[in-house]
Structure formats: C-alpha cells, structure tokens
Amino acid sequence: MGLYVTFILLGAFPFFQRHFLYAHRINTLFWHNLNKPEYWGFARNQVTPFSLTTVDEETIYAWHILPLPTYLRHEDKLQAQQPGFSDDITKTTSFKLLKDDPEARLVIYFHGNAGHIAQGFRSESYHTLTDSSRYHVLAIDYRGFGKSTGTPSETGLLHDGAAAVDWAMHVAGIPAGRIIIMGQSLGTAVTSAVAEHFALQGIEFAGVILIAGFSSLPTLLSSYAAAGFIPVLSPLRPIPPLLRFFQRFIVDKWKSADRLARVASLAQTRLRLTFIHAKNDLEIPCHESDALFKSAASAIIHEDLDDDSFSSWKELRTLRRDDGTFIATATGDPDIVIREELVPYGGR
C-alpha cells in the first residue's frame, strides 16, 4: 500500500508522470545497435536508418524499411549501398525505390510506449508488413525514445508524427492517398492526433489503423494494469470523487475518441478507419476499442443515440463468431467505412 501511495503521489508531478507513462528510458540500447538492422532479421540494406527534423528542431530517429519483394528485385544495387545510418537518405538507392515508384505504398508506423524502434515485437510487425507485400514502412522513435532527442509530451509526439507524414509527402513525394498511418497502443493516440491534424487541413489518408487503442488516457488509467497486473488508478474506482481528483493531474490527456469523431466528421472524399483489438489483451481492455468505434461511428450517423440504442444499432452491423470475436462495420457518406475487429489473441 505504501509503495502504491508513493507511486500515485509522484505521478501527480509532470516530470515523473511522463516517465511513468512513456517509459522512454527503458530500452536495450546498451547492447543493441539500431544502425545494424540485420540483427532483427532484415536483409543487408533492406532498412535504412536516418533522421527527421521536427518543426521545433528535435531530431527524430527513423527506419525506412523496403518491402522484401522490391528488395529482391534490386538486391545487387542495394548490396552496394553503404550500410548503416544515412546522413542524407535522399541519395540512397532505397529512397529512390520509394520516391521513383508511382505505385509505391507507405505505412507510417507509430509504436507503443517504452523501448526503441526495434524493441520487443516491433521488428516482427515490420516483417509482417514488408515480407510479402509491396508496402514500404516508415517507423520512428518519438522524441526522448531511442536515439531521438528531446523529452516526450503529447504536443511533442504530435510534432514527431506530423514530421514523419510531412517527410513522406514532401520529401519522398508519396501522396496521402497512398499512405496508411498505423499505431499500436500509445501509437494509436499519436495516430489519432496525426489524423486529426491533417484532416483539419483537408488531407485524407488511404487508411488509419489503430491496434489496441484507447479512448483517452484518464479513462484508460482507471482500468489499466501495467504489464497486465500492476494497477494504476483502478484501485480508486470504488471512490469516484477521489478517482476524478487524481485524473485532473493527468497532463497529457490523449483524447483519441474525440479526435477520431472529428476526423470522421471532416471526411470530404473518403475515410477508411479500422480498430483492431485482441480479446486477451491484459493491459488495454478491448472495450476501449468499442468506445473508439462508437465515437467515430456516431459522428457519421448524425443521430444522438444513448448507449443502449447505439448497441442495438451496432449489433445490426456486426458479424459475430463462435469464439466471442466479431467484426462491426459502419458506413456513411462520402465513402466512409469504419471497422472494428476483435480478434482472439495477440495481447498487445
């Protein structure tokens, strides 16, 4: 009990709170060299490490990962490329294969909290996206993570995500209609913020995908368990006034549900918004994706439905499976498809 009280009191201070939330100093840089991606099973020069500069002059570490089929077609040229970190990625063969291909597709991947760009299962996610497809992947480490400069904050991570999109559109020359932005866990909040940022400018992406998302940070922390068993604010739920008191101290709100509702309402030509969550996720409960789906779908049906009415409306658009998983789909004008899929396994 004493340790929990100490943790909660320290968490009221922004400095400690952000270290707890982002866990950006917990990584394996002492024994992993991010400039040698071959360690994580990539072919030589399939990955080009480089850096981006944000509007507030932070340096963001990034990987450009070639789709393996493209790599194999140009293997000789890529093998001749200088390996490791590139001071000017625009001069590399890998960059030219992205920029010069009029059909190139790009996934911009925003990872979760803690670690660095390749830590844990992140490299496996990149392999899944690139091993047998035509999709390039751009992955970044947010400010304060891995080799990136700065200190993480909600505004700062939005700048980082926007810098990745700006690089893709204005340096690599990939139009938004060929870009998918994808986030996992904390990365879903970054994805939602980036999607709203560009929607307000009338820019629409080929797709927006959130894996293990959450509606807002204060709401999540009321049920969140770090590592699946360490509670944050959930012990305070039996005392709502006390819970609300401590929620007021949360500095970075990450109101993804509100942001995605605005993204849906701002759609001018098309929107493909997908939520994916694992039924067995022990850290971020799958009902958080239900809340995200409801917020985005409510913005396109133009009806003020209470919880029961919305549940009935959603059920008519849901395909349920015997194992308790489902796919729910909401559609609207102009050419809007919002999809939620609950899968049986995956954790985070």
Side-chain angles (χ1 to χ4, degrees), residues 12 33 51 77 93 97 116-117 120 141-143 171 176 186 189 211 219 223 227 236 262 302 304 311 313 319 323 330:
N33 185 350
S51 63
K77 291 181 179 179
T93 300
L97 290 173
H116 53 61
I117 199 168
D141 260 338
Y142 316 116
R143 61 188 61 204
V171 179
L186 171 65
I211 304 169
T219 301
S223 60
L236 305 180
R262 283 191 286 272
H302 308 297
D304 185 17
S311 295
W313 180 91
L319 173 64
D323 59 0

Side-chain angles (χ1 to χ4, degrees), residues 21 216-224 231-234 243 247 250:
L21 167 62
S216 74
L217 190 60
T219 301
L220 172 65
L221 292 182
S222 68
S223 60
Y224 180 78
V232 181
L233 294 181
S234 56
L243 174 62
Q247 283 178 326
I250 297 174

Side-chain angles (χ1 to χ4, degrees), residues 72 99 121 156-157 162 207 270 272 282 311 313 326 329 338:
L72 293 173
K99 184 175 177 61
F121 59 80
L157 267 63
R270 71 187 299 277
R272 295 295 183 272
L282 297 178
S311 295
W313 180 91
F326 65 82
T329 306
I338 301 172

Side-chain angles (χ1 to χ4, degrees), residues 130-147:
T130 60
D131 279 358
S132 60
S133 78
R134 294 179 56 195
Y135 282 92
H136 296 248
V137 169
L138 173 62
I140 66 169
D141 260 338
Y142 316 116
R143 61 188 61 204
F145 285 72
K147 291 178 173 292

Side-chain angles (χ1 to χ4, degrees), residues 210-330:
L210 281 69
I211 304 169
F214 55 93
S215 55
S216 74
L217 190 60
T219 301
L220 172 65
L221 292 182
S222 68
S223 60
Y224 180 78
F229 64 92
I230 304 172
V232 181
L233 294 181
S234 56
L236 305 180
R237 291 176 68 182
I239 314 172
L242 188 60
L243 174 62
R244 289 192 296 271
F245 173 77
F246 279 101
Q247 283 178 326
R248 289 202 298 270
F249 287 93
I250 297 174
V251 179
D252 296 336
K253 306 296 186 183
W254 290 114
K255 295 181 178 180
S256 294
D258 293 344
R259 283 173 162 150
L260 293 173
R262 283 191 286 272
V263 169
S265 65
L266 288 168
Q268 297 177 7
T269 58
R270 71 187 299 277
L271 173 66
R272 295 295 183 272
L273 175 59
T274 302
F275 306 104
I276 302 172
H277 218 122
K279 187 178 178 182
N280 72 331
D281 193 324
L282 297 178
E283 294 192 26
I284 300 179
C286 57
H287 64 72
E288 285 289 329
S289 282
D290 293 336
L292 290 171
F293 179 87
K294 179 184 178 184
S295 183
S298 295
I300 66 170
I301 62 177
H302 308 297
E303 290 185 54
D304 185 17
L305 301 179
D306 59 30
D307 289 345
D308 290 339
S309 298
F310 182 83
S311 295
S312 299
W313 180 91
K314 179 180 178 181
E315 190 62 32
L316 295 173
R317 294 156 179 83
T318 299
L319 173 64
R320 296 196 175 274
R321 307 185 184 103
D322 293 339
D323 59 0
T325 61
F326 65 82
I327 298 174
T329 306

